[in-house]
Amino acid sequence: QTVVTQEPSFSVSPGGTVTLTCGLSSGSVYLSYYPSWYQQTPGQAPRTLIYNTNTRSSGVPDRFSGSMLGNKAALTITGAQADDESDYYCVLYMGSGIWVFGGGTKVTVL
Amino acid sequence: QLQLQESGPGLVKPSETLSLTCTVSVASISSSNYYWGWIRQPPGKGLEWIGSIYYSGSTYYNPSLKSRVTVSVDTSKNQFSLKLNSVTAADTAVYFCASANIVATKYYFDYWGQGTLVTVSS
């Protein structure tokens, strides 16, 4: 069973920077897993932020950026704002039509 | 912009079959650019991929649910559907349908339905 790991929670100050990571319980995340990131606020459908590791989805502010950090995918929020307070999910494409979601990271801005 | 809308019963009895339909608007479900997927979220928990289907009918399922899940497509109605049998309270969740963009090696969920809450209870 493939397990995608994310930090359960992070706190960031307004205007600050936070980096969330996305790993695999066994092994490394590779570009060929096409990491994508989603933002979700309570009661809403997820919103696509980043796909293919580092491509911002249409309309996503440039304070959100995706990258690889060592053997993990990463999402960085630079200059955090109050409305960035959300849950963030990493998703990896494992090939053959199969995706795996991470457990999500709850980001608090305070 | 592609639109998706889930529909189906909001209450299902334990041991019965959960059935949901996702209606796709603006884009054709027969497009080779997409897989069509189902994702769920139990109350207060994270997102879980359930399964996906290609317009050709090829299906792909989460191994943990594979024995109970069927995803099908109806190209004439521009819809795809989810059936989950032998449900228990653990299947209570908000169920989302989504389009998975596979153009130019992207492989991500680009559009989502609003989600529908399905409660399993007698």
Side-chain angles (χ1 to χ4, degrees), chain A residues 28 43 47 58 60 79 88 92:
Chain A
S28 300
R47 170 197 181 196
S58 177
V60 173
Y88 293 84
L92 301 181

Side-chain angles (χ1 to χ4, degrees), chain A residues 2-109:
Chain A
T2 301
V3 177
V4 176
T5 60
Q6 295 184 246
E7 298 87 358
S9 63
F10 257 121
S11 183
V12 60
S13 300
T17 296
V18 63
T19 296
L20 316 182
T21 67
C22 172
L24 282 172
S25 57
S26 54
S28 300
V29 175
Y30 300 108
L31 294 176
S32 57
Y33 290 145
Y34 305 98
S36 54
W37 292 89
Y38 305 83
Q39 177 191 50
Q40 189 185 35
T41 52
Q44 299 297 314
R47 170 197 181 196
T48 307
L49 294 178
I50 300 286
Y51 62 91
N52 204 12
T53 305
N54 56 13
T55 303
R56 268 186 300 276
S57 188
S58 177
V60 173
D62 60 7
R63 65 179 182 274
F64 293 95
S65 61
S67 63
M68 294 297 295
L69 276 182
N71 64 350
K72 296 183 179 182
L75 173 72
T76 299
I77 308 172
T78 304
Q81 300 182 3
D83 61 3
D84 295 336
E85 188 161 292
S86 302
D87 295 324
Y88 293 84
Y89 292 91
C90 168
V91 179
L92 301 181
Y93 179 65
M94 309 309 292
S96 301
I98 295 174
W99 282 266
V100 182
F101 281 71
T105 297
K106 184 177 184 62
V107 172
T108 302
V109 181

